[in-house]
Amino acid sequence: GFKYYFTAELCNFLGGCGQSSEMSVSVVSFQVPTVNILGSGTRTVSRKSALQLNGDAFIISCGGGGGGKSYQDLVYSWKISVDSVQRNDIVSTSRDVRKYTLNKYSLAVNTLYTIQLTVLSTVSKKASSASTHVYIEAGQLVAVIKGGATQSVQQGGAALPIDASGSYDEDIDPSDGASVSVPENQLQYSWSCNQISPVYSSQCSVVIAGSSTSSVLTVEADASIQGDDIASIITVVVSDVSGTRS
């Protein structure tokens, strides 16, 4: 922070002297900023969750009798990349330059992102960086049966639809469509049925109509089965088209 002034004087053997014009030299701190991204160097988040990273940077000041941390004259810049390729299409939504925030559903599942914070001192013109890795894990497929877990059908009564079309994938942004439901061609359904009361049987006590791979089945009471309080459990397993999640 100091400024020094220099002049040069040249004298000959006769005692004649000449003086140069004055030159000034300013001394600035050449210390680089200390930069951190708070938290773990590698973190795992889900696509359905918003992302926020907090940066911290300062210069160690040696002046003022003991020195200290200075947070002035620092410029923050963030970048995100995948496999060393910068993704300029992904931009933080934070108005605070010390924070890097992304809305939920902004990042792709099963992808490892590197997010780097670079901080430049406008005084020393020196910069340093810190980075963290963020892995986006796949969410769950959630099976939903309309009408709840317990439903009933009477012998001779109307058929009962068992509707699982409201099932959804946590990785799909519900605001992209009219509802959270996923188009049927993006999910696979597998149904099974067993009698559980009054005795267990691998045979179902209701008549099932419809494909066992569709999102909706229709059931009717089996007139050939006699007795009261006959109960069956109908199970649906929902998986993605690749069969890797259910």
Side-chain angles (χ1 to χ4, degrees), residues 17-40:
C17 297
Q19 194 174 66
S20 69
S21 60
E22 187 178 80
M23 181 181 67
S24 65
V25 175
S26 297
V27 179
V28 297
S29 170
F30 284 97
Q31 292 178 310
V32 299
T34 298
V35 181
N36 293 293
I37 297 176
L38 305 183
S40 173

Side-chain angles (χ1 to χ4, degrees), residues 155 198 222-228 230:
Q155 287 187 334
D222 189 343
S224 66
I225 298 179
Q226 302 298 317
D228 297 326
I230 300 172

